[in-house]
Amino acid sequence: QVQLVESGGGLVQAGGSLRLSCAASGSIFSINTMGWYRQAPGKQRELVAVIISGGRTNYADSVKGRFTISRDNAKNTVYLQMNSLKPEDTAVYYCNAELSPYSDGKYFRYWGQGTQVTVSS
């Protein structure tokens, strides 16, 4: 069984910073991509940032230059450093990982439970 546990959300004023963490645990043989998505009230879930096993990253245009995604492969953990936060960044942030629980080469997507980020103006 695989679990993704997020932490680091909260309430911050506009212009402030937060750092999200997501640790994957359980039966993990290999992790390909890890990333962050967010969903604001009344909106669809959207990609924020993703990092693949080799370190290549991809960001939504709305967060480029403000957010930085990184990962610690030894700890199966992904981070999202969020700077210069704006009220429109308010959402539930979800961790996502594409990983193989066993050595059979089959990969599956897993989601965390979500962590609330609220940016006040």
Side-chain angles (χ1 to χ4, degrees):
Q1 187 174 0
V2 175
Q3 278 192 318
L4 300 182
V5 179
E6 301 119 333
S7 61
L11 173 64
V12 65
Q13 287 188 332
S17 298
L18 283 175
R19 188 190 193 214
L20 305 183
S21 300
C22 171
S25 63
S27 178
I28 299 172
F29 179 77
S30 175
I31 300 178
N32 185 14
T33 62
M34 299 188 81
W36 292 93
Y37 289 71
R38 67 187 180 186
Q39 187 166 18
K43 294 188 177 182
Q44 289 188 331
R45 190 172 297 189
E46 62 176 2
L47 172 70
V48 176
V50 64
I51 183 168
I52 65 171
S53 58
R56 188 173 178 179
T57 59
N58 190 35
Y59 295 91
D61 288 341
S62 60
V63 307
K64 282 181 181 177
R66 300 188 297 121
F67 291 9
T68 302
I69 189 170
S70 60
R71 66 191 276 180
D72 184 333
N73 292 328
K75 295 181 179 179
N76 292 332
T77 299
V78 63
Y79 306 96
L80 185 68
Q81 178 65 44
M82 305 185 293
N83 298 328
S84 302
L85 282 161
K86 305 175 181 180
E88 50 263 44
D89 293 318
T90 296
V92 178
Y93 284 69
Y94 296 92
C95 175
N96 176 270
E98 182 185 49
L99 63 88
S100 178
Y102 308 105
S103 60
D104 59 1
K106 294 182 180 178
Y107 283 80
F108 303 92
R109 285 194 177 276
Y110 295 86
W111 292 92
Q113 79 285 357
T115 185
Q116 178 70 46
V117 171
T118 302
V119 184
S120 63
S121 57

